[in-house]
Amino acid sequence: MSSASRPGAVPGSFRDPAGFVFREGRAVHRALTREGASAFRALAASGLLERLTASGAVAATEEVPADARAPLDARFPGTEAFLSHREVPWLVEPCEWTFEMLREAALLHLEVLERSRREGFTLLDASAYNVQFVRGRPLLIDTSALAPDPDPSLWPAYGRFCRHFVYPLLLGSAGLADPAEYFLPHLDGLDPRAVARRLGWGSLRPRAFFDVFLQAASQSRAAADPEALAAALAGRGPAAREGGAAFQGLNLRRLRRLVEGLRPPRRAPAWAEHDPRDAHPAAALEWKRGRVERFVAEARPATLVDLGCRVGEHSLPAAAAGASVACVDADPAALERLRAGARASGADATCLRVDLLSPTPALGVGAAERPGFFARVRGDAALALGLAHHLLSSGMPVDAFAGLLDAVAARRLLVEFVPPEDPLFARLSALRRPAGVGRGVFLAAFEGRFRMLREEPVPGGGRVLFTFERA
């Protein structure tokens, strides 16, 4: 029952041997094979799933009862079981994570695995794509990866855990890659031999020697004689299996210490440390906050996209007013400060690390396996404050800027116009010297897409806030 033969299945589901994910209206469901259904029912009966869900580690999931299956059976006849998942507000790809988000997702996998092993279960998969971030915290969304453990001496997902977490964290801590540079060209990560070449054998930490060097050696051995390796594993006796189970316990604790100890390299301060008072007097900042609050109150968006969100000056208040906010910025330090605020307040704010000059494209098989930024990020309303001068000074045409906002705002838009003579705009564009964009040219780019509802000069300068509504 592969997703490839099931029209309507989420394209990336073909990698799941237990079934596939699909949507029925706004609801998210998973169709399970016989083996997948058996594993899920054992998990649910054990009480482990309920405990993991209550702790916030695993997404809420339940089997669709028999009396509610009719429309699902009509769509996918012969399916053994259907699961219902709670929908996450925004889908974020691993290439859009910060280093800390990747590290937290790794630690979540180890926490879930350690708790599962104590109750006779295991994680069959350890993919970064099985994690989403909700209210600033990681959440495991693939419950079909949890299953009864037939052999505690082996962790079948260890290799993938290294490829999706250990290797990008090692490379990131060495300043050799960040999540975007790692996952964009390699959906399933790098093999250990490539990682060893990048790091250099002499630079490997002792605790990571096992994960890189021995993984590379065992991979070469398996490639040379896969049948001999399979026979050796199958021929182990009870004593070897018991010793292997104890070793796996030690290995998981070692992996936790390794991941906990990895840190991103120090970088020069970016926009997280930029003081907005450099561009606005305090009174203007307070004025702008009030206009954003009014915009949110009038638009009453269920979903809102904050482009160039910085540390969440407007994202978090919008979330407090009831919107589910996608917070988009290229600066990881700013996003980490925003995530800390979301965790502290419980705000429905999801961070995406995205360079709007080069947003995430569609990736994977058929360029459809992982949807691109614009297929995932579109809100009832959008904010674009203190953003235009950054993109326009980098060479983005004003029509492309308007098109970007058109793509993410379904109904309403609040955008800040920054004239070329603005001091910060002039400083940013000093090297590129792009053609100036006046008010008339700026507004003309939005014609046919939006109609202007309100124009308000920002106190203390030539900036203007425009409120637009879908034309």
Side-chain angles (χ1 to χ4, degrees), residues 96-105 132-138 309-312 315-316 327 332-347 349-352:
E96 298 165 342
W97 292 353
T98 65
F99 182 97
E100 283 300 319
M101 292 168 76
L102 182 64
R103 199 169 71 92
E104 289 178 18
Q132 288 296 323
F133 281 80
V134 178
R135 300 180 188 271
R137 301 180 186 277
C309 62
R310 280 183 25 89
V311 297
S315 302
L316 295 179
C327 310
L335 291 176
E336 281 306 314
R337 284 176 58 182
L338 198 162
R339 274 208 315 133
R343 288 195 300 269
S345 64
T350 301
C351 293
L352 299 91

Side-chain angles (χ1 to χ4, degrees), residues 151-313:
D151 185 356
S153 67
L154 297 174
W155 182 26
Y158 168 65
R160 176 164 281 186
F161 181 81
C162 287
R163 294 195 305 276
H164 283 221
F165 296 107
V166 175
Y167 299 161
L169 288 170
L170 283 170
L171 291 168
S173 66
L176 298 174
D178 64 22
E181 293 166 336
Y182 183 86
F183 284 105
L184 271 175
H186 309 286
L187 281 186
D188 201 32
L190 290 170
D191 71 47
R193 291 165 292 189
V195 175
R197 287 193 296 270
R198 282 200 191 184
L199 288 170
W201 296 105
S203 68
L204 291 179
R205 301 174 180 222
R207 284 184 296 177
F209 182 78
F210 181 88
D211 306 301
V212 179
F213 176 74
L214 290 185
Q215 276 276 319
S218 64
Q219 190 171 85
S220 298
R221 177 187 172 195
D225 195 349
E227 293 182 0
L229 181 61
L233 291 173
R236 294 172 305 145
R241 287 175 178 264
E242 183 177 344
F247 168 77
Q248 283 299 336
L250 293 172
N251 187 40
L252 292 180
R253 290 191 286 275
R254 178 193 64 82
L255 284 170
R256 176 177 286 279
R257 290 193 299 272
L258 171 64
V259 171
E260 288 175 339
L262 293 172
R263 292 290 184 273
R266 284 182 168 272
R267 298 186 185 277
W271 288 104
E273 285 72 41
H274 167 67
D275 190 338
R277 289 172 296 185
D278 291 346
H280 297 302
L285 291 174
E286 190 61 34
W287 178 89
K288 187 187 290 188
R289 279 193 285 268
R291 295 309 183 272
V292 174
E293 290 174 4
R294 184 185 65 189
F295 171 81
V296 173
E298 290 177 349
R300 301 178 63 185
T303 55
L304 182 141
V305 181
D306 187 358
L307 298 177
C309 62
R310 280 183 25 89
V311 297
E313 300 98 323

Side-chain angles (χ1 to χ4, degrees), residues 49 85 91 202 221 267 320 338 345 369 429 444:
L49 178 60
H85 297 293
L91 292 176
R221 177 187 172 195
R267 298 186 185 277
L338 198 162
S345 64
E369 183 181 349
S429 59

